[in-house]
Amino acid sequence: VQLVESGGGSVPAGGSLRLSCTAAGYTINRDTVTWFRQAPGKGREGVAGVFTGSPYIRYANSVKGRFTASHDNAENTVYHQMNNLKPEDTAMYYCAASIGRHETDWYKADRFANWGQGTQVTVS
């Protein structure tokens, strides 16, 4: 299983970025795929959880109304649209996948065995 993130970069405050997470060698059509982020010196924070077998999506309070996750099963990809970015959103962003619907623990990093390599987001 390989997850590959892309779309990170450097933007000014108020800007937007769209991250992608594509699975290779694995079909993520019945998984929970969560976007995590980790800022220097901090733990991993789950910010958006997507269950690819349904419209189910959950968000952390810190990003509600600004970030939108979605999935395209035909492309085997989960997206993460981030608008109105703030300096505190600066972090390495990772996607992680786990089989099944993690409705109550989608934000817990230890529930996920498959991780991408991460993509850096910097907001100044």
Side-chain angles (χ1 to χ4, degrees), residues 85-111:
L85 283 160
K86 303 176 181 180
E88 52 263 43
D89 295 317
T90 294
M92 185 71 79
Y93 282 72
Y94 301 88
C95 64
S98 180
I99 295 173
R101 182 165 166 163
H102 295 259
E103 190 162 349
T104 60
D105 57 3
W106 60 270
Y107 57 93
K108 296 182 178 180
D110 62 2
R111 298 296 188 266

Short mmCIF file of all heavy atoms in Angstrom, two decimals, residues 85-111:
data_model
loop_
_atom_site.label_atom_id
_atom_site.label_comp_id
_atom_site.label_asym_id
_atom_site.label_seq_id
_atom_site.Cartn_x
_atom_site.Cartn_y
_atom_site.Cartn_z
N LEU A 85 -6.34 30.25 4.62
CA LEU A 85 -5.27 29.68 5.43
C LEU A 85 -4.69 30.70 6.39
O LEU A 85 -4.61 31.91 6.08
CB LEU A 85 -4.18 29.12 4.52
CG LEU A 85 -4.53 27.76 3.89
CD1 LEU A 85 -3.67 27.51 2.66
CD2 LEU A 85 -4.36 26.64 4.90
N LYS A 86 -4.29 30.20 7.56
CA LYS A 86 -3.73 31.04 8.61
C LYS A 86 -2.32 30.56 8.93
O LYS A 86 -1.99 29.39 8.69
CB LYS A 86 -4.60 30.93 9.87
CG LYS A 86 -6.06 31.29 9.65
CD LYS A 86 -6.87 31.07 10.92
CE LYS A 86 -8.33 31.42 10.70
NZ LYS A 86 -9.14 31.21 11.93
N PRO A 87 -1.49 31.43 9.50
CA PRO A 87 -0.13 30.99 9.86
C PRO A 87 -0.13 29.75 10.76
O PRO A 87 0.78 28.91 10.64
CB PRO A 87 0.43 32.22 10.58
CG PRO A 87 -0.27 33.38 9.95
CD PRO A 87 -1.68 32.88 9.71
N GLU A 88 -1.13 29.61 11.61
CA GLU A 88 -1.19 28.44 12.50
C GLU A 88 -1.53 27.15 11.76
O GLU A 88 -1.48 26.07 12.36
CB GLU A 88 -2.18 28.67 13.64
CG GLU A 88 -3.56 29.09 13.21
CD GLU A 88 -3.75 30.61 13.30
OE1 GLU A 88 -2.82 31.35 12.88
OE2 GLU A 88 -4.82 31.04 13.77
N ASP A 89 -1.86 27.24 10.48
CA ASP A 89 -2.08 26.03 9.67
C ASP A 89 -0.76 25.47 9.12
O ASP A 89 -0.76 24.40 8.52
CB ASP A 89 -3.01 26.33 8.49
CG ASP A 89 -4.41 26.71 8.92
OD1 ASP A 89 -4.95 26.06 9.84
OD2 ASP A 89 -4.97 27.66 8.33
N THR A 90 0.32 26.20 9.34
CA THR A 90 1.63 25.74 8.87
C THR A 90 1.99 24.42 9.53
O THR A 90 1.99 24.31 10.76
CB THR A 90 2.71 26.78 9.18
OG1 THR A 90 2.43 27.96 8.41
CG2 THR A 90 4.09 26.26 8.83
N ALA A 91 2.27 23.41 8.72
CA ALA A 91 2.57 22.07 9.23
C ALA A 91 2.91 21.16 8.06
O ALA A 91 2.70 21.51 6.90
CB ALA A 91 1.36 21.50 9.99
N MET A 92 3.40 19.98 8.40
CA MET A 92 3.48 18.90 7.42
C MET A 92 2.13 18.20 7.44
O MET A 92 1.63 17.85 8.51
CB MET A 92 4.59 17.92 7.80
CG MET A 92 4.82 16.83 6.76
SD MET A 92 5.58 17.46 5.26
CE MET A 92 7.29 17.55 5.81
N TYR A 93 1.56 18.02 6.27
CA TYR A 93 0.25 17.38 6.15
C TYR A 93 0.43 15.96 5.60
O TYR A 93 1.12 15.75 4.61
CB TYR A 93 -0.66 18.20 5.24
CG TYR A 93 -1.23 19.41 5.92
CD1 TYR A 93 -0.42 20.51 6.23
CD2 TYR A 93 -2.57 19.46 6.31
CE1 TYR A 93 -0.93 21.62 6.88
CE2 TYR A 93 -3.09 20.57 6.96
CZ TYR A 93 -2.26 21.64 7.24
OH TYR A 93 -2.78 22.73 7.90
N TYR A 94 -0.25 15.02 6.26
CA TYR A 94 -0.18 13.62 5.89
C TYR A 94 -1.59 13.08 5.65
O TYR A 94 -2.54 13.50 6.32
CB TYR A 94 0.43 12.77 7.01
CG TYR A 94 1.81 13.15 7.45
CD1 TYR A 94 2.00 14.11 8.44
CD2 TYR A 94 2.92 12.53 6.91
CE1 TYR A 94 3.28 14.45 8.86
CE2 TYR A 94 4.21 12.85 7.33
CZ TYR A 94 4.37 13.82 8.30
OH TYR A 94 5.64 14.15 8.72
N CYS A 95 -1.71 12.14 4.74
CA CYS A 95 -2.94 11.37 4.68
C CYS A 95 -2.64 9.96 5.19
O CYS A 95 -1.52 9.46 5.06
CB CYS A 95 -3.54 11.32 3.28
SG CYS A 95 -2.54 10.49 2.04
N ALA A 96 -3.64 9.38 5.80
CA ALA A 96 -3.51 8.03 6.35
C ALA A 96 -4.80 7.28 6.08
O ALA A 96 -5.89 7.87 6.10
CB ALA A 96 -3.23 8.08 7.84
N ALA A 97 -4.70 5.98 5.82
CA ALA A 97 -5.87 5.18 5.46
C ALA A 97 -5.98 3.95 6.35
O ALA A 97 -4.96 3.36 6.74
CB ALA A 97 -5.79 4.76 3.99
N SER A 98 -7.22 3.60 6.64
CA SER A 98 -7.50 2.39 7.41
C SER A 98 -8.81 1.80 6.92
O SER A 98 -9.76 2.54 6.67
CB SER A 98 -7.57 2.72 8.90
OG SER A 98 -7.84 1.57 9.65
N ILE A 99 -8.86 0.49 6.81
CA ILE A 99 -10.08 -0.16 6.33
C ILE A 99 -11.22 0.05 7.33
O ILE A 99 -11.02 -0.02 8.54
CB ILE A 99 -9.84 -1.67 6.14
CG1 ILE A 99 -8.82 -1.91 5.02
CG2 ILE A 99 -11.14 -2.41 5.80
CD1 ILE A 99 -8.39 -3.35 4.88
N GLY A 100 -12.39 0.33 6.78
CA GLY A 100 -13.56 0.45 7.63
C GLY A 100 -13.89 1.89 7.97
O GLY A 100 -13.22 2.83 7.58
N ARG A 101 -14.97 2.04 8.71
CA ARG A 101 -15.49 3.36 9.05
C ARG A 101 -15.16 3.68 10.49
O ARG A 101 -15.77 3.17 11.42
CB ARG A 101 -17.00 3.36 8.81
CG ARG A 101 -17.68 4.67 9.07
CD ARG A 101 -19.07 4.67 8.48
NE ARG A 101 -19.88 5.76 8.96
CZ ARG A 101 -20.99 6.16 8.36
NH1 ARG A 101 -21.41 5.56 7.27
NH2 ARG A 101 -21.69 7.15 8.86
N HIS A 102 -14.24 4.56 10.67
CA HIS A 102 -13.80 4.97 12.01
C HIS A 102 -14.58 6.21 12.42
O HIS A 102 -14.05 7.32 12.45
CB HIS A 102 -12.29 5.24 12.01
CG HIS A 102 -11.46 4.03 11.75
ND1 HIS A 102 -10.82 3.34 12.76
CD2 HIS A 102 -11.19 3.36 10.62
CE1 HIS A 102 -10.17 2.31 12.24
NE2 HIS A 102 -10.39 2.30 10.95
N GLU A 103 -15.84 6.00 12.75
CA GLU A 103 -16.71 7.13 13.00
C GLU A 103 -16.33 7.89 14.27
O GLU A 103 -16.50 9.10 14.35
CB GLU A 103 -18.16 6.67 13.07
CG GLU A 103 -19.16 7.80 13.08
CD GLU A 103 -20.55 7.34 12.71
OE1 GLU A 103 -20.69 6.20 12.25
OE2 GLU A 103 -21.49 8.13 12.89
N THR A 104 -15.83 7.18 15.28
CA THR A 104 -15.55 7.84 16.55
C THR A 104 -14.07 8.10 16.77
O THR A 104 -13.71 8.84 17.69
CB THR A 104 -16.09 7.00 17.72
OG1 THR A 104 -15.45 5.72 17.71
CG2 THR A 104 -17.60 6.83 17.62
N ASP A 105 -13.21 7.51 15.97
CA ASP A 105 -11.78 7.70 16.21
C ASP A 105 -11.03 8.03 14.93
O ASP A 105 -9.84 7.73 14.81
CB ASP A 105 -11.17 6.47 16.89
CG ASP A 105 -11.38 5.19 16.09
OD1 ASP A 105 -11.94 5.26 14.98
OD2 ASP A 105 -10.98 4.12 16.58
N TRP A 106 -11.68 8.69 14.00
CA TRP A 106 -11.07 9.04 12.71
C TRP A 106 -9.87 9.96 12.89
O TRP A 106 -9.04 10.08 12.00
CB TRP A 106 -12.10 9.74 11.81
CG TRP A 106 -12.63 11.01 12.40
CD1 TRP A 106 -13.72 11.15 13.21
CD2 TRP A 106 -12.06 12.32 12.29
NE1 TRP A 106 -13.88 12.46 13.59
CE2 TRP A 106 -12.88 13.20 13.04
CE3 TRP A 106 -10.96 12.85 11.62
CZ2 TRP A 106 -12.62 14.56 13.12
CZ3 TRP A 106 -10.70 14.20 11.70
CH2 TRP A 106 -11.53 15.04 12.45
N TYR A 107 -9.76 10.64 14.03
CA TYR A 107 -8.74 11.65 14.26
C TYR A 107 -7.55 11.11 15.07
O TYR A 107 -6.61 11.85 15.38
CB TYR A 107 -9.34 12.84 15.01
CG TYR A 107 -9.98 12.45 16.31
CD1 TYR A 107 -9.26 12.51 17.50
CD2 TYR A 107 -11.30 11.99 16.35
CE1 TYR A 107 -9.84 12.12 18.69
CE2 TYR A 107 -11.88 11.61 17.54
CZ TYR A 107 -11.15 11.67 18.70
OH TYR A 107 -11.73 11.28 19.88
N LYS A 108 -7.59 9.82 15.41
CA LYS A 108 -6.55 9.24 16.25
C LYS A 108 -5.49 8.57 15.38
O LYS A 108 -5.75 7.57 14.70
CB LYS A 108 -7.16 8.23 17.22
CG LYS A 108 -8.12 8.86 18.22
CD LYS A 108 -8.67 7.82 19.19
CE LYS A 108 -9.59 8.47 20.22
NZ LYS A 108 -10.14 7.48 21.17
N ALA A 109 -4.29 9.09 15.46
CA ALA A 109 -3.21 8.62 14.57
C ALA A 109 -2.90 7.14 14.76
O ALA A 109 -2.54 6.45 13.80
CB ALA A 109 -1.95 9.46 14.80
N ASP A 110 -3.03 6.64 15.99
CA ASP A 110 -2.66 5.24 16.23
C ASP A 110 -3.65 4.24 15.63
O ASP A 110 -3.44 3.04 15.70
CB ASP A 110 -2.45 4.98 17.72
CG ASP A 110 -3.70 5.20 18.55
OD1 ASP A 110 -4.76 5.54 17.96
OD2 ASP A 110 -3.62 5.06 19.78
N ARG A 111 -4.74 4.73 15.04
CA ARG A 111 -5.70 3.84 14.38
C ARG A 111 -5.31 3.55 12.93
O ARG A 111 -5.94 2.73 12.27
CB ARG A 111 -7.09 4.45 14.39
CG ARG A 111 -7.66 4.68 15.78
CD ARG A 111 -7.87 3.36 16.52
NE ARG A 111 -8.59 3.55 17.78
CZ ARG A 111 -8.00 3.72 18.95
NH1 ARG A 111 -6.69 3.74 19.02
NH2 ARG A 111 -8.73 3.89 20.03
#
